[in-house]
Amino acid sequence: MGDEAAPTHDWSGTAPVRWTTTAPRERVWSVIEDGWTYAAWVVGASRVRSVDESWPAEGTQLHHSVGVWPLVRDDRTSVVEVDPAQMRIVLRARVRPFGTQLVEIEVSSQPGGTMVTMREDASGGLAALVPRPVRQAGLIIRNREALRRLCLLAERETHVEEV
């Protein structure tokens, strides 16, 4: 479990991606807390195979697959830090053979809705060898789509609750 240790990652060179939604803050956070929704909003994840019962407590894991059939690889994501009161989580996603990624997600209220902010960067493996500006350019596009999907799920659930 050595790769689940608290990160000492420098977020200063990462590009935050922000998405605004009309869904309440609590609703967005509930989608994040439901590990079974992971493949529905995380770009590249194709399925969730199992989720630790106490997800998203620190140290818990969800086991997922990445890729498109027949090129699917099984891997896992673990919770490195979580602060439910502040609605902030840091995940370590393993994507072998490329390495590991640290992902920080924060959910905050704003007038008329909720803002979700995501930062991501390589924390080890082959991906960390790519110059940061190059890898950040790709991550901005990927994370913009991930936040769009996350917020659509939250908005869908909000709509269902209102009916």
Side-chain angles (χ1 to χ4, degrees):
M1 283 214 143
D3 67 350
E4 273 68 331
T8 56
H9 194 72
D10 175 15
W11 294 105
S12 64
T14 60
V17 176
R18 293 181 176 87
W19 197 271
T20 308
T21 177
T22 57
R25 181 177 183 233
E26 295 75 18
R27 186 65 213 129
V28 175
W29 184 251
S30 72
V31 174
I32 294 168
E33 284 183 316
D34 181 356
W36 290 102
T37 68
Y38 188 83
W41 62 272
V42 174
V43 175
S46 56
R47 66 179 171 231
V48 174
R49 300 184 328 277
S50 68
V51 179
D52 287 356
E53 190 173 311
S54 56
W55 177 271
E58 285 184 19
T60 58
Q61 299 179 4
L62 63 80
H63 299 267
H64 56 84
S65 301
V66 295
V68 179
W69 187 89
L71 304 173
V72 177
R73 177 128 184 134
D74 291 345
D75 233 318
R76 70 173 187 249
T77 292
S78 56
V79 178
V80 179
E81 297 175 23
V82 64
D83 185 344
Q86 294 298 313
M87 295 188 188
R88 178 184 174 273
I89 191 167
V90 176
L91 304 171
R92 183 180 315 276
R94 285 183 18 163
V95 184
R96 292 174 291 168
F98 303 108
T100 56
Q101 297 286 113
L102 277 178
V103 183
E104 177 189 56
I105 304 170
E106 297 175 303
V107 183
S108 57
S109 295
Q110 68 171 33
T114 300
M115 177 172 292
V116 187
T117 303
M118 178 185 277
R119 287 180 178 81
E120 180 175 358
D121 201 15
S123 62
L126 296 174
L129 299 176
V130 176
R132 184 177 265 178
V134 174
R135 66 180 186 250
Q136 284 296 304
L139 289 172
I140 288 169
I141 296 165
R142 179 178 175 273
N143 290 342
R144 188 174 294 134
E145 176 61 17
L147 290 184
R148 185 183 76 83
R149 293 177 185 186
L150 171 65
C151 291
L152 284 171
L153 285 170
E155 290 165 7
R156 177 182 158 263
E157 294 301 322
T158 301
H159 177 71
V160 170
E161 291 171 3
E162 291 173 355
V163 173

